[in-house]
């Protein structure tokens, strides 16, 4: 049976979707923008955006009862593939050992003109 996951430690959905859903031992997050859940602000710098998006994913996973350590698949959408190295510099600090699989895709546009959006599949 699926269960909706919601936390105030990550930004609320900006459309008709859930922050995450758990089903059959997995949690699937929606894409997380780099919005600080406390201030509602989004920094301009891609490194800071990457960090906030990953922290938002982590907060949702925690609410579901799991963590980034149990992530099996990350999908990263970026506005500018030229930011690849800056994104990776931050990303690797979250996954120092046994990183999950990942796709990184350049998108023509992201909600709220963000530079990055990150979604995750993790085991419970």
């Amino acid at each position: 049976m699926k269960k909706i996951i919601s936390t105030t430690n990550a930004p609320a959905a900006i459309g008709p979707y859930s922050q995450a859903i758990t089903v059959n031992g997995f949690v699937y997050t929606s894409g997380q923008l780099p919005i600080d859940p406390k201030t509602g602000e989004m920094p301009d710098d891609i490194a800071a955006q990457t960090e906030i998006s990953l922290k938002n994913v982590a907060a949702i996973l925690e609410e579901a009862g799991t963590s980034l350590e149990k992530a099996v698949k990350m999908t990263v959408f970026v506005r500018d593939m030229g930011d690849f190295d800056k994104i990776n510099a931050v990303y690797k600090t979250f996954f120092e050992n046994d990183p999950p699989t990942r796709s990184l895709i350049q998108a023509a546009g992201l909600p709220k003109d963000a530079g990055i959006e990150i979604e995750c599949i993790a085991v419970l």
Side-chain angles (χ1 to χ4, degrees), residues 50 83-93 102 104:
T50 303
D83 290 332
F84 187 78
D85 291 338
K86 293 175 186 173
I87 291 165
N88 280 338
V90 174
Y91 187 92
K92 71 181 178 182
T93 67
R102 183 184 85 176
L104 192 141

Side-chain angles (χ1 to χ4, degrees), residues 19-43:
Q19 286 177 324
I21 291 178
T22 62
V23 65
N24 296 331
F26 288 91
V27 59
Y28 300 83
T29 74
S30 292
Q32 293 304 299
L33 294 174
I35 298 171
D36 184 315
K38 293 181 179 97
T39 66
E41 300 294 318
M42 181 169 41

Side-chain angles (χ1 to χ4, degrees), residues 27-109:
V27 59
Y28 300 83
T29 74
S30 292
Q32 293 304 299
L33 294 174
I35 298 171
D36 184 315
K38 293 181 179 97
T39 66
E41 300 294 318
M42 181 169 41
D44 292 328
D45 175 75
I46 192 63
Q49 286 193 17
T50 303
E51 181 177 0
I52 291 171
S53 288
L54 284 165
K55 285 180 176 179
N56 290 340
V57 169
I60 293 168
L61 293 178
E62 184 177 311
E63 183 69 23
T66 190
S67 68
L68 283 174
E69 291 177 357
K70 293 187 177 182
V72 294
K73 172 68 171 154
M74 304 293 287
T75 305
V76 180
F77 301 94
V78 298
R79 185 175 52 212
D80 183 354
M81 194 60 80
D83 290 332
F84 187 78
D85 291 338
K86 293 175 186 173
I87 291 165
N88 280 338
V90 174
Y91 187 92
K92 71 181 178 182
T93 67
F94 284 79
F95 300 104
E96 294 178 12
N97 299 309
D98 303 321
T101 63
R102 183 184 85 176
S103 298
L104 192 141
I105 304 151
Q106 183 170 331

Side-chain angles (χ1 to χ4, degrees), residues 5-22:
I5 303 299
S6 182
T7 179
T8 57
N9 294 323
I14 60 172
Y17 57 88
S18 301
Q19 286 177 324
I21 291 178
T22 62

